[in-house]
Amino acid sequence: MLVQEHVPLAEFTTFNVGGPARFFARAVAESDVLQALEFVASRHLPLFVLGGGSNLVVSDHGFSGLVLKIDLRGITSEAAGQNWIFEAGAGEDWDNFVSYTVDRNYAGLECLSGIPGTVGGTPVQNVGAYGQDVSQTVECVAAIEIASGRKRFFSNADCEFAYRTSVFNTSARDRYIVLAVRYLLRHNGAPTISYRDLAHFFAGRPAPSLLETRNAVREIRHSKAMLITPGEEDCRSAGSFFKNPIVDRPTADSVLQFAEQRGLSLTTYPAGGELVKLPAAWLVEQSGFAKGFTAGKVGISRRHSLAIVNRGGATASDIITLKNQIQRAVFDRFGIVLRPEPVFVGFENEV
């Protein structure tokens, strides 16, 4: 394992911001991960595990420890009754992996097309979009415990999946490094066309194939600047910056009343029991941050009001300032706290 020093991190993130890593290494094999753990333990250094950098904000000061870039690759498959299990290394590009399964006519991941990042990040965040999330298909996650170096296998239940969360970013946060993920997929299965945007896209058409569904998802994501496209300013972002808040019924009713009084359309979603999921994008827009909003070198995407973008030359501090302004405005108007989706690296205080 080669350890480099003072490596700029901005180029490893879709935001294109952030200072240098004091130490930097790539893991192309499980043994590299173990060497990295020995390296930080012997020097009493903090460790940050880097995947695709698509859900990340790195401090302008960088990171004082070792940044370990996970480049574990490889895809294998095996039969599992009427279904099929695909295993992918944590460093595999996620969208390429989705394409690999769709091209072979396996259903379960098609609506997750176009999401940037790597396979290893998907169970951590319980990545989801357009009516699917990985909790529906993850069969097993292989990971190394940082403290002991022991390898452990997590079943779907062990992962404790919930909306955009798992055991890996809650109770076991920073305790494990994902090595590989196994997904249970359906051969010749029908695509999932439950999300409103997809249903509208295919309205009046024959039942779409998995490939047609994948292409539609990518087209929709591109229309919202949520598909990483080199050269497009609105793509210098971390995607959706805020999670859709889940609130109690009285809070939801208050927001619905706000919309009704102003003749605005608002779609809410049941979230179990008396809980309701509200669209964060709508809350952001109604709090004064419309698509295309600009504040110096940062702003809101012209095509997606949930994406904070680097308009060119922005710093991490600029991004945090706009994030705080949006959160404060939404809370002042609706009494709702928006929770960020990205991971924040190298910040001394909570952000």
Side-chain angles (χ1 to χ4, degrees), residues 257-280:
Q257 184 179 35
F258 174 95
E260 183 179 353
Q261 289 173 344
R262 290 160 178 77
L264 301 171
S265 174
L266 172 61
T267 302
T268 64
Y269 306 89
E274 291 298 307
L275 297 178
V276 179
K277 183 163 67 174
L278 299 176

Side-chain angles (χ1 to χ4, degrees), residues 187-271:
H187 191 222
N188 296 322
T192 299
I193 312 294
S194 60
Y195 199 79
R196 182 180 58 182
D197 285 1
L198 270 180
H200 178 74
F201 187 95
F202 288 113
R205 305 190 195 182
S209 67
L210 290 172
L211 181 58
E212 288 170 334
T213 302
R214 168 176 161 75
N215 290 339
V217 168
R218 286 177 56 84
E219 185 175 330
I220 294 168
R221 291 184 68 87
H222 185 262
S223 72
K224 298 179 179 181
M226 302 301 280
L227 189 70
I228 300 299
T229 306
E232 287 195 12
E233 175 191 306
D234 281 347
C235 290
R236 289 198 295 263
S237 77
S240 294
F241 203 95
F242 299 104
K243 301 175 184 179
N244 291 323
I246 295 176
V247 302
D248 57 27
R249 174 57 63 182
T251 300
D253 288 343
S254 174
V255 177
L256 285 166
Q257 184 179 35
F258 174 95
E260 183 179 353
Q261 289 173 344
R262 290 160 178 77
L264 301 171
S265 174
L266 172 61
T267 302
T268 64
Y269 306 89

Side-chain angles (χ1 to χ4, degrees), residues 20 81 96 100 110 128 134 171 182 210 225 244 267 277 294 317:
N96 288 345
Y100 183 93
E110 64 279 355
V134 295
S171 60
R182 290 163 63 90
L210 290 172
N244 291 323
T267 302
K277 183 163 67 174
T294 297
S317 179

